[in-house]
Amino acid sequence: MRRVAWILVVLLAALPARAQTVDPADPLGSVMWTTVRDAVFPGAAMVFDDHVQVFSPPVVEDTMNVPVSVLVNGLPDVEEIVLLVDHNPIFKALAFFPVQAAPAFETVIKVQEATPIRAAARTSDGVWHVGGLRVDAAGGGCTVASVAASGGDWDRLNEVSGTAWRRPDGGQRLRFQVVHPMDTGLVDGIPPFFIERLSVATPEGQELARLELFEPVSENPVFTIDLRGHAGSVVIGGADTDANQIAARIGMASTLFGLLEASR
Amino acid sequence: MRALLSLVFLVWTATAAHAADLSYALTPRLIAPGTYIVEGRREHFSRDNGGNIVNTAFIVTAAGVVIIDTGPSALYGRELRAAIGQVTPLPVVKVVNTHHHPDHFLGNQAFADIGVAASATTAGIIARDGQSLTENLYRLNGDWMRGTEPQAPTGRLEGGVEEIGGHRLRWLLLAGHTAADVALFDQTTGVLFTADLVFKDRAPTTPDADIAAWLAALDVLEALPFRILVPGHGNEATDAAPIAQTRAWLGWLDSTLGAAAAQGLSRTEAMQLPIPADFSALALARDEFQRSVVHLYPTLEAGALQRVVGPK
Ligand SMILES: [Zn+2]
C-alpha cells in the first residue's frame, strides 16, 4: 500500500514536467533537470562533469530498493555530494559530507520509472560538479516490489549492523545498515518518519564523515563509505525525525578489503 | 520541424498498424513421438517479442493433449491452442503451470474451459501476486498483453506417476528456481521437461531463487534416465549439458557473491565483477548477474555485517 501511494504521488509530480525546458548542456536531456537544479542549487555555479560518476543497474526491478554508488575521481577538495533523482516527488535523496572519507559512497534508494539519477559534488570553490546516469525502472517482470520486510514490527528500530575492512591504502572500508522504515509521509495516514542524520566519528569524538538523509532513501538502508587515514573503531551516531537516537560502535577492521582490487 | 512531425506520424501509424495484427507466429516443433516444443527467444521481455521468451510444450497422447505452461499473454494462450489444433484434432485434457513466473501462466485464459493445474504453492502465489506480475508484463510487452488477466490455477497437481493416453507421466514437485517448480518426466518417450530449473545458453534468472534448493533439484533431474531435455528457456538437448551449465552458473554466482559480501564489496561493486569466459555462451549473462546481485546480495551482506549496539 505504501508503494502504491508512492507511485501515485510520483506520477502526479511528474505531470507538470511537460512544461519544462531541457537544459541543452544536460547530457541526460531530462525535462525535469532545470526544475531540480533551481530547487536544489538556486543561484549556485554548476557544471556537468565526468569526474562525478554514478553507477546503478541500468534496469531496475525493485523500485523500492535501487543500489546507487557515487565516485568522484580527480576533483580536489570535495566538501559535499548530494544524490538527486529527477523523477521523484522529493528530488534529494541524501547529502554526504566526506570530511575524512573518500568522496565516494553507496546507498539504496527508491525511484520511479525511467529517471536520471545524479550526483552533484561541491568543491571548496563552491562549484557543483554534476554527473549521472539514467535508469529504466520497468525491468525484470518476475519480481513484485518489496513491501515492508518487518511487517510493521519495529522492535529493532535504529539498530545498527556493520563491519569494517582494512584497506590496502591504510584506510578502511565501512559498511553498515540501520533498521528503519524510512516512511516518506506521502501515504495517507503514515506521517514522514525517516533517519535525518548519521555521523561516523572516532571513539574520541572526531568526525570522519556525515550524512543528511531524506525520504527517498530505502527502508533499512545500507551505507558503504571508505575512510581515509583512519584504521580503528568508529562510532556511528544519528537521529530520525522523531528524535530517536542512533548510537553504535563498529570494531576495528581485521579482515582485508579485497577481491575488487584483485579483479581489476 | 515538418520533417520531425511527419516522422512522428510515420512511427505512430506504423505502431498502430502493428498493434492491430500482432501475432507470435507460434510454430510447434516435433522433438519426440507426439511431443512438441514451442521455443521462445533468449531475450528479456520486450514490446518487440511480446514476452515470447519462454518455452511451452505439449504432448499429444491417445486420450488428448497435455500442455506444459501457457505463455506470457492471453494472445499467446489463444495462439498456442490454435497451433495445437493444427497438429491434432484431439482435445486438450490437462494444462499445467510449472511455476508462478508470468511468462509461464498468463496464457491460462485460453484454457479456462479445461482448467489449469499447478502445485498448491504455485497456485497460492499466483492468486496473491498475479495482478502485480501481470501489470509488470503490460509495462514491458505493451499491446501484446491486451485483454490478459491473471487466472490462478484451480487444479492441484500432485507428484508421482500418472498415465494419460498411453504416456506414463512422472510429475516432480521440486523447488529452487522459485518456491515451487514442477518438472515432468515422460517415461514413455524419455523426454524431461525441466521448466526454469534448467536454462540453456541463457543466464538463469534468480528473483525467487534458493540456490541450495535449486542445486539439489538439478541433482534429482540429472539422475533421471532422460533422452531429451526441454529447458524452460533455450532449445532442447539430448544430453545433460544444460543441467551442468545451469549448475556451474549457480555455483559460481553463489561463491562469487558470498566472497564479495565477506570481503566488503558494495552491491554496485559486486555487479561489476568479471564474469568468467566459460560463460560466454550464455545470453544476457551481465544483465542477469546484475539482477542476481539485487536479488541475492542483501541476504549475503546481512550475514557479513555484524549486529552492533551502543558505544562502549
Ligand atoms: Zn521462471
Side-chain angles (χ1 to χ4, degrees):
Chain A
M1 197 54 218
R2 188 185 287 170
R3 172 172 192 263
V4 172
W6 167 260
I7 287 172
L8 267 180
V9 172
V10 172
L11 289 174
L12 290 174
L15 283 178
R18 296 179 190 288
Q20 299 301 320
T21 52
V22 174
D23 179 349
D26 179 7
L28 301 177
S30 163
V31 290
M32 282 305 291
W33 173 245
T34 53
T35 306
V36 176
R37 182 193 64 197
D38 296 344
V40 182
F41 313 107
M46 196 221 85
V47 290
F48 292 105
D49 190 334
D50 290 341
H51 292 101
V52 179
Q53 295 161 20
V54 179
F55 185 86
S56 185
V59 173
V60 169
E61 270 181 274
D62 181 352
T63 52
M64 300 295 275
N65 284 291
V66 183
V68 181
S69 61
V70 177
L71 174 63
V72 181
N73 220 338
L75 286 181
D77 305 323
V78 173
E79 295 181 341
E80 180 182 359
I81 303 170
V82 297
L83 188 62
L84 303 166
V85 184
D86 284 21
H87 285 272
N88 271 359
I90 297 158
F91 304 136
K92 201 168 171 178
L94 65 77
F96 173 60
F97 300 85
V99 191
Q100 275 194 40
F105 65 89
E106 184 187 278
T107 190
V108 195
I109 62 171
K110 299 171 270 211
V111 304
Q112 179 57 8
E113 209 166 308
T115 182
I117 299 178
R118 322 232 187 203
R122 179 172 54 78
T123 41
S124 54
D125 56 5
V127 176
W128 291 94
H129 301 256
V130 181
L133 87 174
R134 194 178 268 280
V135 295
D136 181 357
C142 295
T143 307
V144 175
S146 58
V147 289
S150 65
D153 172 14
W154 293 102
D155 285 351
R156 295 175 53 209
L157 186 77
N158 285 344
E159 192 176 291
V160 177
S161 302
T163 297
W165 287 261
R166 197 155 43 83
R167 290 187 62 95
D169 59 13
Q172 62 187 19
R173 158 66 52 101
L174 186 62
R175 303 198 73 214
F176 63 97
Q177 179 168 35
V178 186
V179 176
H180 205 285
M182 298 300 288
D183 286 320
T184 60
L186 300 170
V187 181
D188 263 359
I190 302 178
F193 180 45
F194 55 92
I195 302 166
E196 280 186 304
R197 54 189 173 80
L198 286 170
S199 64
V200 181
T202 66
E204 293 75 36
Q206 187 200 346
E207 184 176 72
L208 300 170
R210 187 168 82 247
L211 288 151
E212 288 173 7
L213 312 187
F214 301 93
E215 293 88 332
V217 173
S218 294
E219 179 183 321
N220 301 333
V222 181
F223 302 94
T224 305
I225 294 170
D226 285 320
L227 301 174
R228 290 197 287 216
H230 175 82
S233 299
V234 297
V235 174
I236 309 288
D240 64 24
T241 47
D242 282 6
N244 299 306
Q245 299 298 301
I246 297 161
R249 179 170 175 156
I250 297 174
M252 188 163 77
S254 54
T255 46
L256 189 68
F257 172 72
L259 196 62
L260 190 69
E261 259 88 332
S263 70
R264 273 182 173 167
Chain B
M1 191 60 201
R2 181 183 287 175
L4 181 66
L5 276 177
S6 53
L7 180 67
V8 167
F9 184 71
L10 263 177
V11 170
W12 179 74
T13 48
T15 311
H18 186 55
D21 49 41
L22 291 173
S23 168
Y24 292 103
L26 300 180
T27 44
R29 186 157 48 78
L30 187 71
I31 56 166
T35 308
Y36 296 80
I37 178 175
V38 186
E39 193 185 329
R41 300 197 216 167
R42 281 167 230 180
E43 300 173 358
H44 290 302
F45 297 112
S46 73
R47 279 157 204 263
D48 179 45
N49 60 39
N52 182 14
I53 60 161
V54 62
N55 294 340
T56 59
F58 60 93
I59 306 166
V60 182
T61 77
V65 181
V66 176
I67 300 177
I68 299 110
D69 286 331
T70 62
S73 66
L75 176 65
Y76 186 103
R78 290 196 301 273
E79 288 193 26
L80 175 61
R81 197 161 182 177
I84 293 169
Q86 297 292 309
V87 170
T88 174
L90 290 168
V92 176
V93 293
K94 191 175 182 93
V95 184
V96 167
N97 294 150
T98 56
H99 64 296
H100 78 267
H101 285 158
D103 44 336
H104 298 261
F105 76 81
L106 280 176
N108 284 4
Q109 279 161 286
F111 306 97
D113 57 322
I114 296 149
V116 177
S119 68
T121 303
T122 294
I125 298 173
I126 293 175
R128 187 191 66 198
D129 294 341
Q131 194 62 45
S132 305
L133 293 166
T134 307
E135 286 164 16
N136 285 350
L137 290 209
Y138 270 89
R139 274 206 310 276
L140 294 164
N141 300 334
D143 277 337
W144 297 82
M145 301 303 297
R146 206 173 280 168
T148 303
E149 288 167 18
Q151 284 202 347
T154 49
R156 287 294 161 274
L157 189 75
E158 306 293 342
V161 177
E162 175 185 28
E163 167 129 16
I164 300 181
H167 286 250
R168 284 180 60 80
L169 304 180
R170 182 170 165 201
W171 300 100
L172 296 105
L173 305 191
L174 301 167
H177 172 64
T178 66
D181 299 280
V182 167
L184 169 61
F185 181 44
D186 184 339
Q187 296 178 340
T188 306
T189 58
V191 179
L192 172 62
F193 303 87
T194 66
D196 284 5
L197 287 168
V198 178
F199 284 65
K200 186 186 171 201
D201 296 340
R202 189 236 188 262
T205 65
T206 58
D208 303 292
D210 174 334
I211 304 289
W214 195 337
L215 291 170
L218 291 177
D219 291 343
V220 172
L221 295 176
E222 187 150 30
L224 296 167
F226 63 87
R227 295 196 304 115
I228 296 174
L229 182 153
V230 179
H233 299 263
N235 65 321
E236 76 279 11
T238 54
D239 57 25
I243 296 178
Q245 191 186 53
T246 302
R247 184 189 285 122
W249 174 267
L250 296 176
W252 170 74
L253 196 60
D254 196 41
S255 61
T256 301
L257 295 185
Q263 294 182 36
L265 265 64
S266 72
R267 297 182 192 182
T268 55
E269 285 168 342
M271 285 177 190
Q272 296 171 79
L273 288 169
I275 297 173
D278 318 3
F279 297 122
S280 58
L282 271 63
L284 305 176
R286 177 59 65 182
D287 288 4
E288 292 302 343
F289 179 60
Q290 291 189 347
R291 290 179 67 195
S292 291
V293 171
V294 172
H295 304 145
L296 306 173
Y297 210 63
T299 304
L300 293 168
E301 79 188 353
L305 302 181
Q306 291 147 20
R307 255 183 178 193
V308 287
V309 285
K312 295 185 198 85

